[in-house]
Amino acid sequence: MSTPYPFTAVVGQDDLRLALLLNAVSPQVGGVLVRGEKGTAKSTAVRALAALMPETEVVPGCRFSCDPAAPDPSCPDGPHESRPGARRPTALVELPVGASEDRLVGALDIERALAEGVKAFEPGLLAGAHRGILYVDEVNLLNDHLVDLLLDAAAMGASYVEREGVSVRHAARFLLVGTMNPEEGELRPQLLDRFGLTVEVKASREPEQRVEVVRRRLAYDDAPEEFAARWADEEAAVRQRILAARELLPSVRLGEGALLQIAATCGAFEVDGMRADIVMARTATALAAWAGRTDVLAEDVRQAALLALPHRRRRNPFDAPGLDEDKLDETLERFGGQNGDGDGDEAGNDDGDGDGDGPGPGGGPGGQPEPDDGPPGDGDVAARPEADEAGKPQAGPGGGAGERAPARASEPFRTKVLSVPGIGEGAAGRRSRARTDRGRTTGARRPRGALTTLHLAATVRAAAPHQRVRGRSGPGLVVRRDDLRQAVREGHESNLVLFVVDASGSMAARQRMSAVKGAVLSLLLDAYQRRDKVGLVTFRGAAAEVVLPPTSSVDAAAARLESLPTGGRTPLAAGLLRAHDVLRVERLRDPARRPLVVVVTDGRATGGPQPVALAGRAARLLAAEGTASVVVDCEAGPVRLGLAGQLAGELDGTAVTLDELRADSIAGLVRDVQGAGTRRAA
C-alpha cells in the first residue's frame, strides 16, 4: 500500500481543508462538493483526509462495517453477537464515473432468489463506504440516476435494493466528497443542493506559494515514507483535534441569536427550501466544536454561510456561484443583537484555529490567499472586447479588415425540444428517444453480459416449458441462467448538439448578431436542461474554427459565444467541413451519442473558388452520414434570397427563422426534423 500524501502538508487551499475537516467532525453536515480547475490538489486532499481520520471499530467479518456498540438490526450479515470489535483504518471508497447501478448499490442473485427464495446479496460500493468516505471524482460526469441513488443514500443513511419483490436494506452513512471541473459541465441545481458544503479552489498566483507546492511534491515523490514521517506530529495533532471536536460537539449550544442570523441570511439570499438553514446550523455548530467552544458565534455563522450557500443560489448554468460578502455582513450585523458579543472579525479569519494558520497545523506558508488573486475567468471575457468598439478592427482566426468587436447576446428565451429522429442507445438524458436502463418497459431480450433489469413475465415464460424435463417436484420454479430475460426499456437520451455559427461580415450588423447570439444562448440553456454535450464551430474570413470542442459545460460555450467577434467573408463550406471533422472524432470517442447539428447562418457563401458549390458538397457529405440537422435562418430585410432553406435541403434537414424559433410554431419543427429522418430512412 502506497504512503498517502499528508493532509497537513497541503499548501494553501484553506477553505477546502476546513470543509473536509468540518465533515470529519460532523458527518451530518452533508458532504463537500469541490469545484475548481485541474491540478489544484482536490483529489490529493480527499485521499489525505482518509489517512488522517481516526480508526474505525467494526464487527469482525461484517461486510457492512457495523459498529460493535450499536450494530444495524437489519444488516444482511446480522444479527451480530456481542463480541469485541476489530479496528481498521477509515475506509476510502472511490466511485468510478463509469460504474453501473449494481456496482454502486449492490446486486441480488436473481436466479437464486427466484428458484430458492434466498436473498443472496453482493454488497456494492455504498456498503463499503459505510462509516467511511465515499469519493466521487468528476461527479458532474456521473450518470444522473447514479447521482440520485448516491445522494438519496447520503440523505437517508441507508441503501435499498429492490428487485421483483425481493428487497435488501443496509446502513450507508458516509462522508460524501465530490470533485469536479466546471469546464466539463455543471450539476443540476437540485443535485447541487444535496451537497452540504461547496468550495471553489484554484491555484495560487503567488510565486512563493507555488514554489512551496513544487518543493513539497518533489520531496514526497522522491521519498514518500520519509516525507510523511516529517509531518507525523502535525497529522497526529489534527487527528486528536478531530476526536476532541467530536466529543465536544453534543455540548455546543446553538442559541436563538445564531438561529435568527442563519434564517435571516438564507432569506436575504433567497435560497430555496429549508435545507440551507439546516446545513448552516450544523456547519456553524461544527465550527464552534472545531474551535473548542461550546457557543456558536457570529463568525461561525458567517463562515457557514460562505461554505453552505454559494451553490444554492444558482438559478441557471450561466450564473456565477458566490455570495456578496458585503450583503452577508450587513445581514449578520442587522440580526446580530442577540448573538453573543458579535466580535467575529478576528476569530472569523483564523478558522477557529487560534494561531491564524488555517484549519490545522502545517497549513502552508503565509496567510490565506485572497479569494480573487487570480486573473479574470471566462465570465469576464465578454467585457474586454467592448473596449475595442472605438473602430479599431481586431485580428482573429478569420482575419481581415472590417472585423467588428463582439456584440452582446440578447435575453435568452424558452425553446421547445429539437430531437434526433429514430431510437438511439446513448447516455440517459432528456432529448431524443432511446433504449435506456430507466424508462417505460417495451419488451424483453436475452441479457448481453450481466443481467441488470429482470423482465419477470418473459423469464417465467422462458422457463415454464422445461419444468418437467428439469424434474420440478415442488412449488418453486426451476430457473436456469438461459431463461433469464432482460427488460428492454425506452426513455430519453442526451445528444451532442454541435452549433455551427456564421460570424462573417454579412452577419455582423450589431442588432442582428445580438439576436443571433440570444437564440444560440437559448438553445444552449435548453441543452443544459436536457443534459446534452455541446460544441461550437464558427466560420468567418478565410477559415473555420472549433471555438469549443464538445463538452458538457454549456457555461463555457456561453462565454465563448459572448466573446465571438464577427467580420470578413463567409466560408460556409469550411464551417460544414470542420463540423464533419468534429463529428468524426466524437463518433470514435462516444459512438452511442447521436449528434444534432444546428447551423446558424443566412445561407450565403463567399470567398474562394466556387463557394456555393463547395458548400453544397459539404452539406451533402453530412447528409450522407445521416446527421440530423437544423438550419436557423438569420436572413433579414425585405428582400430574401432563401439561401438558408436551400442549405437545409442539401443537409436533408429543416430550416427555421429566428422569429419561428421564438414562436409556438417551433413545435412543428420537431415534426419536420423527424420527417426528414423518415425520408432518409426510406
Side-chain angles (χ1 to χ4, degrees), residues 111-162:
E111 185 176 359
R112 291 189 64 191
L114 286 175
E116 306 172 29
V118 175
K119 293 183 181 179
F121 181 68
E122 183 65 30
L125 296 176
L126 290 180
H130 179 47
R131 304 177 65 210
I133 300 173
L134 182 61
Y135 173 47
V136 189
D137 194 13
E138 307 294 353
V139 65
N140 51 324
L141 304 182
L142 199 64
N143 284 335
D144 283 352
H145 74 283
L146 293 183
V147 177
D148 291 336
L149 290 169
L150 180 65
L151 296 178
D152 283 344
M156 295 185 297
S159 175
Y160 295 85
V161 182
E162 300 194 16

Side-chain angles (χ1 to χ4, degrees), residues 7-8 21 47-54 234-236 238-239 242:
F7 185 84
T8 51
L21 289 168
R47 295 188 176 100
L49 179 68
L52 181 69
M53 297 275 281
E234 287 84 350
E235 294 280 288
V238 175
R239 188 177 295 112
I242 292 173

Side-chain angles (χ1 to χ4, degrees), residues 528-552:
Y528 164 77
Q529 294 167 341
R530 301 187 186 282
R531 313 302 294 162
D532 293 317
K533 290 181 70 173
V534 296
L536 179 60
V537 173
T538 65
F539 56 95
R540 61 189 176 91
E545 178 187 10
V546 181
V547 176
L548 183 71
T551 176
S552 297

Side-chain angles (χ1 to χ4, degrees), residues 138-458:
E138 307 294 353
V139 65
N140 51 324
L141 304 182
L142 199 64
N143 284 335
D144 283 352
H145 74 283
L146 293 183
V147 177
D148 291 336
L149 290 169
L150 180 65
L151 296 178
D152 283 344
M156 295 185 297
S159 175
Y160 295 85
V161 182
E162 300 194 16
R163 293 281 178 83
E164 309 298 342
V166 180
S167 63
V168 173
R169 175 205 173 278
H170 65 83
R173 293 184 294 276
F174 46 81
L175 194 168
L176 175 63
V177 182
T179 57
M180 59 176 282
N181 184 345
E183 293 181 358
E184 297 172 343
E186 287 287 353
L187 281 173
R188 291 176 290 161
Q190 60 268 41
L191 300 183
L192 280 171
D193 184 56
R194 300 296 289 272
F195 281 93
L197 309 179
T198 186
V199 177
E200 296 279 340
V201 297
K202 61 181 178 181
S204 172
R205 302 307 190 247
E206 295 296 328
E208 294 82 2
Q209 198 169 69
R210 296 176 74 95
V211 166
E212 185 64 21
V213 170
V214 174
R215 182 182 293 119
R216 293 187 188 184
R217 188 69 212 191
L218 293 178
Y220 170 77
D221 290 341
D222 289 341
E225 294 182 1
E226 180 181 335
F227 182 82
R230 286 162 45 193
W231 293 89
D233 291 342
E234 287 84 350
E235 294 280 288
V238 175
R239 188 177 295 112
Q240 284 301 120
R241 188 172 172 185
I242 292 173
L243 288 171
R246 286 180 177 180
E247 294 177 0
L248 183 62
L249 187 65
S251 304
V252 175
R253 186 179 67 90
L254 184 65
E256 289 298 318
L259 280 173
L260 179 61
Q261 284 185 318
I262 290 170
T265 301
C266 292
F269 286 100
E270 300 180 353
V271 177
D272 295 335
M274 295 298 299
R275 184 175 283 118
D277 303 63
I278 296 170
V279 171
M280 271 191 66
R282 288 172 173 165
T283 305
T285 303
L287 279 162
W290 177 248
R293 290 185 268 101
T294 56
D295 287 309
V296 174
L297 302 182
E299 61 263 29
D300 300 325
V301 176
R302 186 182 192 278
Q303 183 67 61
L306 293 174
L307 293 172
L309 295 188
H311 61 301
R312 293 185 164 89
R313 298 190 62 249
R314 304 193 78 188
R315 295 295 185 267
N316 65 62
F318 311 132
D319 292 338
L323 287 183
D324 182 343
E325 295 195 32
D326 291 337
K327 181 178 180 180
L328 173 61
D329 291 335
E330 179 183 337
T331 302
L332 293 175
E333 183 178 354
R334 179 182 175 190
F335 292 91
Q338 305 175 45
N339 192 29
D341 57 15
D343 185 16
D345 290 338
E346 292 184 13
N349 289 333
D350 66 2
D351 295 330
D353 197 35
D355 58 5
D357 288 334
Q368 282 188 328
E370 291 295 325
D372 57 350
D373 59 352
D378 283 344
D380 298 314
V381 293
R384 293 195 294 271
E386 293 297 330
D388 296 327
E389 288 189 22
K392 295 182 180 180
Q394 295 174 293
E403 183 174 315
R404 305 189 183 188
R408 289 193 177 277
S410 61
E411 284 296 316
F413 53 88
R414 186 173 181 81
T415 66
K416 294 189 178 179
V417 61
L418 307 177
S419 62
V420 178
I423 300 179
E425 295 183 348
R430 299 181 179 181
R431 184 170 296 278
S432 305
R433 294 173 58 199
R435 296 183 181 92
T436 62
D437 292 334
R438 301 166 70 86
R440 180 171 56 91
T441 301
T442 59
R445 60 170 172 80
R446 291 181 180 273
R448 302 166 188 166
L451 178 71
T452 56
T453 307
L454 179 73
H455 195 296
L456 181 59

Side-chain angles (χ1 to χ4, degrees), residues 603 612 616 619 631 633 641-652 655:
V612 176
V631 178
D633 184 358
L641 303 178
L643 298 176
Q646 296 177 25
L647 176 63
E650 299 280 7
L651 287 167
D652 200 8

Side-chain angles (χ1 to χ4, degrees), residues 392-575:
K392 295 182 180 180
Q394 295 174 293
E403 183 174 315
R404 305 189 183 188
R408 289 193 177 277
S410 61
E411 284 296 316
F413 53 88
R414 186 173 181 81
T415 66
K416 294 189 178 179
V417 61
L418 307 177
S419 62
V420 178
I423 300 179
E425 295 183 348
R430 299 181 179 181
R431 184 170 296 278
S432 305
R433 294 173 58 199
R435 296 183 181 92
T436 62
D437 292 334
R438 301 166 70 86
R440 180 171 56 91
T441 301
T442 59
R445 60 170 172 80
R446 291 181 180 273
R448 302 166 188 166
L451 178 71
T452 56
T453 307
L454 179 73
H455 195 296
L456 181 59
T459 299
V460 171
R461 285 197 300 269
H466 309 291
Q467 296 305 294
R468 181 175 297 177
V469 175
R470 293 173 182 173
R472 173 185 170 185
S473 58
L477 191 67
V478 181
V479 179
R480 302 281 172 80
R481 180 69 60 182
D482 291 342
D483 301 328
L484 300 179
R485 294 294 181 268
Q486 174 83 31
V488 176
R489 293 180 171 177
E490 183 176 310
H492 288 84
E493 66 178 359
S494 62
N495 298 107
L496 167 59
V497 182
L498 181 62
F499 294 93
V500 184
V501 179
D502 185 348
S504 65
S506 65
M507 299 280 289
R510 226 159 160 71
Q511 186 174 1
R512 184 178 175 196
M513 198 62 196
S514 177
V516 168
K517 286 187 176 182
V520 177
L521 199 63
S522 303
L523 292 169
L524 281 172
L525 183 58
D526 180 70
Y528 164 77
Q529 294 167 341
R530 301 187 186 282
R531 313 302 294 162
D532 293 317
K533 290 181 70 173
V534 296
L536 179 60
V537 173
T538 65
F539 56 95
R540 61 189 176 91
E545 178 187 10
V546 181
V547 176
L548 183 71
T551 176
S552 297
S553 177
V554 295
D555 50 346
R560 306 291 172 86
L561 176 72
E562 191 72 19
S563 62
L564 179 67
T566 56
R569 295 184 178 274
T570 312
L572 177 58

